[in-house]
Amino acid sequence: MSEPVTVYQRMKDIPAEHLLAPGTAMCAGCGGLQALHEIHDILGRDTVVVNAAGCMTLLAVYPYTPMPGSWLYTSMASAPAGAQGVRDALDIRIAKGRLRREDDLRVVVLSGDGSAYGMGLSASSAAIERGLDFLYLCYDNEGYGNTGQQTSPATPHGAQTATSTGPVGHAGRKKDLFAIWAAHRPAYLATVIGSEPLDLARKIEKAKRVKGPKLILALSPCPTGWGFDPQHTVEIARLAVRTGLWPLKEYEDGVITHTKVPAERAPVEEYLKLQGRFAHLFSPQRNETLLAGIQNEVDRYWEGVKP
Ligand SMILES: Cc1ncc(C[n+]2csc(CCOP(=O)(O)OP(=O)(O)O)c2C)c(N)n1
Ligand code: SF4
Ligand SMILES: [Mg+2]
């Protein structure tokens, strides 16, 4: 069996047993891949995936992709523009009688947080404004994972990344992409996580029925970038929900509904202490100020949520 083909220097550091299969550069325990599997199963084959540069583009090994429908690669900033082109081409073919309406395809943007929260946000905003009928699926691993987990606009306060290496980690705060999309009044908007497959499935089924711009935002635990053993992906994902750090919610017709309210929230520490990117909050001594700050922010969020 040949050695795995890897693209970036960082990938060479991943132990071979953590790779999904020789020939790909995906890591075992990838929460983004878990969410993508679950979502793609529900979306089905009649889907064109427009994929902005990031970890998931490494699923394609020329000339093959694991997506049974079509797959298009775009730059980080332009996936929603690519989706517009695909949608237009399909509509023109239907109008000219070259594609039967019942054979129409669903257009899905697939990108990481670097594109969705940052480089591609302007293209998303314009696509929502035009009322483009597309589903935007963002797997959010809270950093530029593919190039070595540099800080992105989705990196949480206090996390260490390849570019936030000081004793307090990232000084900025995670952008609220849900609120930014909601302000655009899209057709549908939801947060999901792979470890809550029923909640996820219900939301994807709903997104399939709704026409117009839609966003599915999936928090995606990333063993390589967050610093944990791949066997803990599901545990960490469940803790993200149980601590209240990742609220599961949806937006429809101007109304935001929380789809799972943790009965008794676990302390955020339980989630943070399992990840290398937060190790500096616990050792060589506990950073009580930062830990209390993170907990307070979560408490404040939930105070504003009606049961
Ligand atoms: C304009 C531009 N800058 C930098 C890069 C290099 N690059 C490729 S993938 C990537 C990280 C993308 O991060 P994200 O969207 O969060 O996806 P992830 O890698 O985490 O899956 C970067 C910086 C690029 N492709 N284009
Ligand atoms: S770096 Fe993270 S998001 Fe990228 S393939 Fe590995 S586990 Fe998945
Ligand atoms: Mg990312």
Side-chain angles (χ1 to χ4, degrees):
M1 201 179 283
S2 60
E3 281 297 297
V5 179
T6 56
V7 179
Y8 290 101
Q9 182 62 39
R10 176 184 66 84
M11 290 299 182
K12 292 192 182 125
D13 300 333
I14 301 173
E17 67 271 21
H18 288 187
L19 292 170
L20 267 188
T24 79
M26 306 299 295
C27 320
C30 174
L33 199 52
Q34 183 194 10
L36 176 60
H37 266 296
E38 293 174 12
I39 292 168
H40 199 278
D41 278 354
I42 299 166
L43 290 179
R45 305 177 72 89
D46 303 335
T47 300
V48 182
V49 174
V50 183
N51 193 178
C55 283
M56 296 303 154
T57 43
L58 301 182
L59 283 170
V61 181
Y62 183 81
Y64 304 107
T65 118
M67 315 286 173
S70 296
W71 180 83
L72 175 74
Y73 176 69
T74 71
S75 71
M76 283 185 71
S78 60
Q84 179 79 58
V86 173
R87 187 62 263 155
D88 289 350
L90 290 164
D91 288 342
I92 290 167
R93 285 179 66 78
I94 290 170
K96 290 189 170 176
R98 292 188 189 156
L99 180 69
R100 294 185 312 170
R101 197 164 287 282
E102 57 269 32
D103 293 334
D104 192 13
L105 302 173
R106 184 173 291 108
V107 183
V108 175
V109 163
L110 172 64
S111 94
D113 48 287
S115 290
Y117 286 70
M119 285 188 221
L121 188 52
S122 161
S124 296
S125 175
I128 306 168
E129 197 181 320
R130 291 192 302 272
L132 177 64
D133 182 21
F134 79 128
L135 173 67
Y136 195 131
L137 165 57
C138 169
Y139 59 96
D140 179 359
N141 64 358
E142 305 190 315
Y144 294 140
N146 184 232
T147 43
Q149 198 71 4
Q150 294 84 15
T151 296
S152 85
T155 300
H157 188 59
Q160 280 194 336
T161 69
T163 45
S164 304
T165 53
V168 293
H170 177 46
R173 290 192 143 69
K174 187 178 176 79
K175 204 185 264 185
D176 188 349
L177 189 64
F178 188 95
I180 293 170
W181 265 70
H184 286 71
R185 300 186 192 89
Y188 184 65
L189 171 55
T191 58
V192 300
I193 197 157
S195 62
E196 296 286 347
L198 293 182
D199 179 78
L200 176 147
R202 198 185 56 74
K203 289 168 175 169
I204 303 302
E205 289 291 359
K206 194 179 278 190
K208 271 175 83 170
R209 293 193 297 269
V210 178
K211 252 184 130 42
K214 303 164 282 279
L215 172 70
I216 297 291
L217 194 49
L219 184 70
S220 301
C222 167
T224 311
W226 296 9
F228 63 85
D229 191 286
Q231 68 176 310
H232 297 307
T233 298
V234 172
E235 185 187 354
I236 286 177
R238 287 192 178 139
L239 277 168
V241 177
R242 279 190 49 222
T243 54
L245 269 158
W246 188 248
L248 292 172
K249 55 188 175 181
E250 63 188 351
Y251 165 101
E252 263 181 305
D253 300 326
V255 179
I256 295 171
T257 309
H258 285 77
T259 55
K260 186 164 183 150
V261 179
E264 210 170 291
R265 269 181 286 118
V268 292
E269 268 190 44
E270 287 190 22
Y271 169 81
L272 303 174
K273 71 185 178 199
L274 297 178
Q275 303 171 47
R277 64 180 176 155
F278 295 113
H280 57 290
L281 301 185
F282 300 96
S283 147
Q285 69 253 346
R286 287 170 59 88
N287 187 331
E288 298 294 357
T289 312
L290 209 34
L291 286 168
I294 296 170
Q295 184 66 62
N296 281 343
E297 212 161 300
V298 173
D299 293 345
R300 262 211 323 273
Y301 175 89
W302 287 98
E303 272 166 22
V305 174
K306 293 188 204 90

